[in-house]
Amino acid sequence: MRDSERVLPLCGRSLAFLAALTACQPADDDPASGSTVTDVGPAAGGTGGAGGQGPAGGDGGAVAPDQGLGGDADPARDLGPVGGGGALGDAGPGPIPDAAPDDDAGMPATDAGASPDAGLACPERALPAIDGPRVVLVGHPFADAMGGRGTDIHGLTLTPEGELVDDGVRFDVGFRVARIAFAPHGQHAFVLGGDGELASVSVGAADALALIDVVALPGADYGDVEVSADASTLWITGSNVNETSGISTVRVDCDGGLTVDEAAFFNLRLSDSTAFLPGQQRALVLGGQAVFDPIDDRDVRLLERVGDAAGEGFREVGAFDLYHDFVGAGRIAVSPDARLGAIPNNSAFSEEGGQVMIVAIEGDVVTEVERVTEVEDPGEALFSLDGQTLIVSQVEPGLLTVLRIEGGRVADRGAVRGIGLADQMARVERGPLADTLLIPSIDPNGGPNISMVRVTGPGMVVDLGETPLGDGIEQIVTPIAVQP
């Protein structure tokens, strides 16, 4: 079941917060709202994860329940475990992949070597400085009028010290934005509308945005975009019940111009999300399941790219029936070593809703390993850069579930609380701030903001506080992306 068909979609939830935004603003002496880290003990047979380097100027490791969090986080908030302890669920029938990676497979790329455009007829573009400021782009889905349709994106700057500064401009792209993604070189951003509008934007700085091109995709419900490592191709997943549902391939020229490669389109009904394996030759896809003719019980696909030339898209390697009821997700994930996948299920119509399935990817086969249960309203899944932590955003509860991965299984479970309507997540991929996550949030006693957390070790996350965006519905943000 599509995310947009849920009983209480995200936009409706945002509107539900309007009364809170106007009636529940904190008094001058009220404590600021923040998020709370819960360090839950290991699962049966597991051990606690090792600590890591913390935020700049601070200690690393997880925050124990009786410690202060610093910043504007509120240590007095509930520190109890998620879902009454959070059952890890029964192990599935699939094999457990070997935890040890093969050589350097799936490891984060270094900054050395060729430019992202190497081998193309494009001028070389230097990556943004690894320890320099980064542009953060967000989308505002609402206008200032009640229920008005917002069409702005907004630039902010993430400083090398980890401070998020609102020093940019609001820029009207002409449509409500569902997802934003940067090119690896950071000079172009790709802005996707929920109805299939796609724009490329030049990004010089947070206050230097310019529209390059706009194209239209086949009629569907959109919310997922992947960018190739050389910035020449976009793969965009859209959901519908007919021939317009599937993965669109869009070619990007050196100046950011867009061309929809219609011949490369891969039709897949009710497709939700695509997550590429390292190397971007294969992809795990959630989609294809249908209870109408032609009936299809298979909900997960493994696809392979046919080639890079115009007209070359994907072929199906395998199709698998893993969830046995309705399934929907904001975004699925693949581990950096390509051995695991994480598939949330947020379908309100499914007896298997509120779960996250861990799957093994071995050759041409995808099998269930285990399920994490009692994950209410999961939005997106994201593996840490080393693959030892899995983070799942939860919209309705307003929190992040943090899972430590060991030996291909979930060994620990914890949470970061107090991130209102937590859905999309953006991550810093390299440099001193690597594995820092930025999450749009709506707090009833603090208003719209962007929360930040950092993965500091296996299954361990620290709260870095939040950046308020101001009062009013027009300040709410949902899509977010950070420059590489």
Side-chain angles (χ1 to χ4, degrees):
M1 182 64 63
R2 285 289 303 151
D3 180 68
S4 61
E5 295 171 320
R6 287 188 289 170
V7 173
L8 189 58
L10 180 58
C11 288
R13 291 167 180 165
S14 298
L15 285 171
F17 268 79
L18 283 178
L21 293 176
T22 56
C24 299
Q25 294 297 324
D28 292 342
D29 57 349
D30 283 346
S33 173
S35 53
T36 300
V37 177
T38 302
D39 182 19
V40 179
T47 57
Q53 183 176 356
D59 295 331
V63 180
D66 59 351
Q67 289 180 309
L69 295 173
D72 59 3
D74 182 1
R77 296 177 67 87
D78 178 22
L79 296 176
V82 184
L88 294 178
D90 295 329
I96 304 172
D98 188 354
D102 293 329
D103 301 323
D104 294 327
M107 297 304 291
T110 65
D111 296 302
S115 157
D117 286 319
L120 301 178
C122 294
E124 290 189 0
R125 298 182 178 94
L127 286 168
I130 193 170
D131 57 353
R134 288 173 166 84
V135 175
V136 175
L137 289 182
V138 299
H140 293 273
F142 303 108
D144 53 2
M146 176 70 73
R149 190 176 182 88
T151 59
D152 287 351
I153 61 173
H154 177 192
L156 304 95
T157 298
L158 181 63
T159 71
E161 295 74 32
E163 179 184 5
L164 191 59
V165 181
D166 187 357
D167 59 351
V169 296
R170 289 179 72 127
F171 182 80
D172 189 352
V173 294
F175 54 84
R176 179 177 280 176
V177 179
R179 181 77 63 177
I180 305 172
F182 273 97
H185 54 67
Q187 296 179 23
H188 298 152
F190 305 104
V191 182
L192 176 65
D195 295 326
E197 311 93 337
L198 177 68
S200 54
V201 174
S202 173
V203 182
D207 60 354
L209 308 177
L211 185 66
I212 300 172
D213 199 3
V214 180
V215 294
L217 302 171
D221 182 11
Y222 288 91
D224 196 6
V225 57
E226 293 278 346
V227 185
S228 67
D230 62 6
S232 68
T233 307
L234 308 177
W235 298 285
I236 302 171
T237 307
S239 179
N240 209 333
V241 297
N242 55 22
E243 67 278 358
T244 65
S245 180
I247 303 174
S248 293
T249 297
V250 179
R251 309 298 179 182
V252 185
D253 67 26
C254 299
D255 297 322
L258 305 173
T259 302
V260 180
D261 189 345
E262 295 180 356
F265 181 77
F266 183 85
N267 178 224
L268 182 65
R269 293 180 299 171
L270 297 176
S271 50
D272 270 308
S273 179
T274 300
F276 276 88
L277 280 62
Q280 295 185 315
Q281 295 304 307
R282 287 191 168 192
L284 188 70
V285 181
L286 178 63
Q289 180 195 60
V291 296
F292 48 87
D293 290 333
I295 295 173
D296 190 346
D297 293 329
R298 299 165 298 175
D299 46 34
V300 173
R301 262 69 179 176
L302 188 62
L303 304 184
E304 185 172 67
R305 289 176 57 203
V306 175
D308 295 312
E312 295 182 331
F314 295 87
R315 72 173 185 90
E316 185 175 288
V317 175
F320 313 95
D321 180 17
L322 299 183
Y323 280 106
H324 306 301
D325 201 346
F326 293 109
V327 57
R331 216 170 201 187
I332 65 175
V334 170
S335 63
D337 63 5
R339 299 187 179 190
L340 295 177
I343 305 174
N345 187 1
N346 60 23
S347 175
F349 304 96
S350 174
E351 293 184 357
E352 299 173 292
Q355 300 179 7
V356 178
M357 183 184 294
I358 308 299
V359 300
I361 307 170
E362 295 188 325
D364 296 345
V365 179
V366 179
T367 53
E368 177 181 341
V369 174
E370 65 177 319
R371 300 192 194 194
V372 183
T373 62
E374 299 181 31
V375 187
E376 181 185 355
D377 200 13
E380 299 190 351
L382 179 67
F383 282 96
S384 61
L385 291 171
D386 63 7
Q388 297 181 74
T389 303
L390 176 63
I391 297 178
V392 181
S393 61
Q394 294 177 245
V395 183
E396 185 66 22
L399 57 84
L400 305 178
T401 281
V402 182
L403 305 171
R404 181 167 64 87
I405 306 298
E406 183 178 288
R409 289 189 178 276
V410 176
D412 258 344
R413 177 170 177 166
V416 181
R417 300 179 180 274
I419 304 178
L421 299 183
D423 188 8
Q424 292 196 25
M425 301 179 284
R427 177 176 62 197
V428 178
E429 299 290 333
R430 61 195 186 99
L433 300 181
D435 257 347
T436 296
L437 309 185
L438 295 83
I439 309 105
S441 174
I442 309 172
D443 293 333
N445 62 340
N449 63 84
I450 297 175
S451 294
M452 288 196 294
V453 302
R454 184 174 303 153
V455 179
T456 59
M460 307 184 79
V461 170
V462 294
D463 179 19
L464 303 179
E466 61 188 35
T467 300
L469 297 175
D471 298 334
I473 188 174
E474 71 277 7
Q475 302 299 336
I476 292 174
V477 301
T478 302
I480 187 168
V482 59
Q483 209 170 33

